[in-house]
Amino acid sequence: MNPLTLVRETTAWVSGLSKHVKINNEALDKECEDFLNKHRIKAHKEIWADNWFHYCDIDIENEESTFTELTAKYILVLDTLNFCFWPDSEFEYHHLARGLKNALIANPKCFDADQLIKVTSETIHQWFGKDLPNTSERVRLIREVGTVLIEYFNGSIKEMILSANNKASILVDLVTKYFWGFRDSAIYKGKQVFFYKRAQIFVGDLWGAYQGRGLGKFDDIKQLTMFADYRVPQILEELKVIEYSPELKEMIKNKIEIPVGSEMELEIRAVTVHVVEKMRDYFNKGHCELLALEIDWMLWGRGEAMLDKLPPHHRTLTIFY
């Protein structure tokens, strides 16, 4: 079965049953209409490579360049480590992306598969100049990536990507099949629910960095959902688009950890996915063609720009986001 269909259908099901997180459709419509009005005046699209903290050596005008794999290696390591920064209040995504960028510039071979299998906690410290939360798991996941690439894809990320035949759904399926650390799913009321956040964002980042060409060409990129994390629900709650139950709201306000796999945690993530699906449909009806991943990027960027003004985000200790 198509993994992206599983994400979309199971998260919609959770959203329909959710008791701790609700969608405020009136606020949702208002935000969408406000965006459309601004978009009609000045169209805006997020460009992945425009973020100064990302590494990208792709020359879009050169077709051969769009099949080079250094940027793809960077993206795979980036999205392997792209989870759960909140235990360190002074570390955010841009620190992760910039640290890896600097490491790659200093040593272009540092993300080769035969180097990833040798990564240690000391390596992580060298990359970022500090220890990261849950370093032992990050080391394990990086080594897993190197091991899988060597055992199944001749050490080549390019070979893995091309084996998906320009299908985002197939590449997400491959990543979750071979890399156990990317198998982002849970059980809600006895039913398996799928998110595949880091597997999807890997594909989305490839598409963004390569601008839909070469190793970033996916004929079904529209099937990707948003990437369920903690920043996007934070901004959606601030915009009143989603509303929390008094109990959940109090826990988040007081920075009380929400257990991984709990109904509260899964409802936050699932409702967020469903909200972005609704936003995408609203925009498309308004003749503004945006992908779910582009809406994710815009909301995430808006949240990052407002960090000092936003209320706390939910806190769950996990390797999936």
Side-chain angles (χ1 to χ4, degrees):
M1 180 175 282
N2 185 323
L4 304 179
T5 300
L6 284 174
V7 174
R8 188 166 284 107
E9 291 181 350
T10 59
T11 53
W13 174 75
V14 173
S15 182
L17 296 176
S18 177
K19 64 180 181 180
H20 293 288
V21 188
K22 300 293 185 182
I23 300 172
N24 182 329
N25 286 303
E26 183 177 346
L28 173 62
D29 290 350
K30 178 181 180 300
E31 284 300 321
C32 288
E33 198 57 40
D34 285 350
F35 174 85
L36 284 176
N37 289 333
K38 293 174 183 175
H39 187 79
R40 292 181 184 113
I41 297 170
K42 184 179 180 180
H44 173 73
K45 286 229 176 186
E46 295 287 327
I47 305 298
W48 191 91
D50 283 352
N51 290 299
W52 60 271
F53 42 77
H54 282 149
Y55 177 87
C56 187
D57 68 344
I58 306 305
D59 177 3
I60 294 302
E61 303 306 318
N62 181 343
E63 183 179 3
E64 184 177 344
S65 177
T66 66
F67 285 94
T68 58
E69 58 182 353
L70 196 58
T71 294
K73 293 177 184 178
Y74 166 80
I75 289 171
L76 182 56
V77 174
L78 175 70
D79 293 324
T80 299
L81 296 175
N82 186 7
F83 64 88
C84 212
F85 310 129
W86 61 262
D88 182 343
S89 61
E90 297 182 352
F91 195 88
E92 295 286 351
Y93 172 80
H94 66 272
H95 295 112
L96 176 77
R98 183 183 61 189
L100 295 175
K101 176 181 180 178
N102 291 341
L104 188 58
I105 291 171
N107 178 9
K109 294 186 177 296
C110 69
F111 299 151
D112 288 0
D114 61 355
Q115 296 302 305
L116 296 181
I117 61 174
K118 302 174 185 176
V119 163
T120 65
S121 57
E122 288 75 21
T123 312
I124 300 291
H125 193 283
Q126 289 172 3
W127 287 348
F128 304 105
K130 64 189 302 184
D131 293 328
L132 300 190
N134 207 355
T135 293
S136 61
E137 274 298 275
R138 296 180 196 275
V139 168
R140 180 184 69 83
L141 293 169
I142 287 292
R143 287 181 172 181
E144 178 185 74
V145 165
T147 298
V148 168
L149 287 176
I150 290 170
E151 288 188 3
Y152 298 100
F153 301 101
N154 297 309
S156 170
I157 188 173
K158 181 177 180 178
E159 180 175 321
M160 181 183 76
I161 294 169
L162 293 179
S163 71
N165 296 316
N166 301 122
K167 296 294 184 183
S169 55
I170 294 177
L171 187 51
V172 169
D173 194 46
L174 284 171
V175 170
T176 55
K177 176 181 179 181
Y178 285 101
F179 303 110
W180 289 22
F182 282 78
R183 295 178 180 178
D184 179 10
S185 70
I187 305 298
Y188 180 85
K189 297 187 184 299
K191 180 175 178 178
Q192 191 170 15
V193 180
F194 301 86
F195 298 99
Y196 291 154
K197 183 258 185 178
R198 291 194 291 107
Q200 287 202 80
I201 204 171
F202 167 62
V203 177
D205 283 349
L206 286 173
W207 177 82
Y210 290 81
Q211 296 188 40
R213 305 179 190 183
L215 297 183
K217 183 179 186 296
F218 301 104
D219 300 329
D220 58 345
I221 193 66
K222 290 182 178 180
Q223 291 189 32
L224 286 186
T225 70
M226 64 83 62
F227 317 123
D229 63 357
Y230 48 81
R231 184 69 71 229
V232 175
Q234 184 184 24
I235 185 66
L236 290 177
E237 199 264 341
E238 174 68 8
L239 297 173
K240 314 299 183 188
V241 172
I242 61 175
E243 299 173 343
Y244 296 141
S245 67
E247 180 186 2
L248 177 55
K249 192 176 184 71
E250 193 68 15
M251 290 180 69
I252 294 175
K253 177 183 176 182
N254 293 315
K255 301 182 180 181
I256 297 172
E257 186 175 329
I258 297 170
V260 64
S262 64
E263 287 192 358
M264 286 180 173
E265 187 232 356
L266 299 180
E267 287 174 6
I268 292 171
R269 299 187 76 199
V271 172
T272 301
V273 173
H274 194 52
V275 163
V276 173
E277 290 293 298
K278 290 167 73 73
M279 294 178 79
R280 184 204 58 204
D281 292 345
Y282 195 107
F283 294 150
N284 289 346
K285 289 176 184 177
H287 305 290
C288 175
E289 294 289 329
L290 286 174
L291 303 173
L293 71 88
E294 292 177 303
I295 299 169
D296 177 289
W297 287 348
M298 289 189 296
L299 290 170
W300 183 88
R302 190 169 176 181
E304 288 290 300
M306 297 172 58
L307 277 183
D308 294 339
K309 302 176 182 177
L310 290 175
H313 58 75
H314 76 280
R315 282 158 165 73
T316 296
L317 196 60
T318 175
I319 66 165
F320 291 134
Y321 65 98

